[in-house]
Amino acid sequence: MSFYQVMPTYHNPSGKKAYIMNMYTAPEYRRQGIAFRMLDVLIEEARKKGISQIALEATEMGRPLYEKYGFVPMKDEMELCSFD
């Protein structure tokens, strides 16, 4: 996950954002909650840094996991906002 700063907006007054670059679970370990738990860890780290918006690009295979977690589809990426 990378952290970056953008111009503050009404919905993100701090301008702080994060982007999840890549997540991958080996086939033999899928569907055991590992990726979901990794998202817990990443989002907790973002929360500690005062970040309320996290974006990522999702494959078709990964999309259900992110939607289950609360990410919402966008044009080319998905985003989780206001996860306090």
Side-chain angles (χ1 to χ4, degrees):
M1 183 162 58
S2 64
F3 303 103
Y4 61 101
Q5 185 78 35
V6 297
M7 292 294 295
T9 65
Y10 175 77
H11 295 291
N12 186 1
S14 73
K16 295 178 181 179
K17 291 183 128 186
Y19 187 83
I20 297 175
M21 304 301 278
N22 293 300
M23 283 187 48
Y24 177 81
T25 306
E28 62 271 22
Y29 295 104
R30 292 180 184 160
R31 313 225 27 103
Q32 296 179 33
I34 295 168
F36 198 86
R37 177 64 184 120
M38 180 56 70
L39 283 173
D40 284 340
V41 171
L42 292 171
I43 289 169
E44 180 58 29
E45 184 64 24
R47 183 177 285 123
K48 288 178 187 175
K49 294 181 179 295
I51 295 169
S52 62
Q53 291 185 331
I54 301 173
L56 58 83
E57 293 181 37
T59 63
E60 287 302 315
M61 183 183 294
R63 189 172 292 272
L65 165 73
Y66 301 122
E67 288 176 344
K68 180 179 175 182
Y69 202 94
F71 283 82
V72 294
M74 299 184 65
K75 183 177 178 192
D76 293 319
E77 52 187 32
M78 298 179 75
E79 185 170 56
L80 178 65
C81 297
S82 300
F83 51 84
D84 305 343

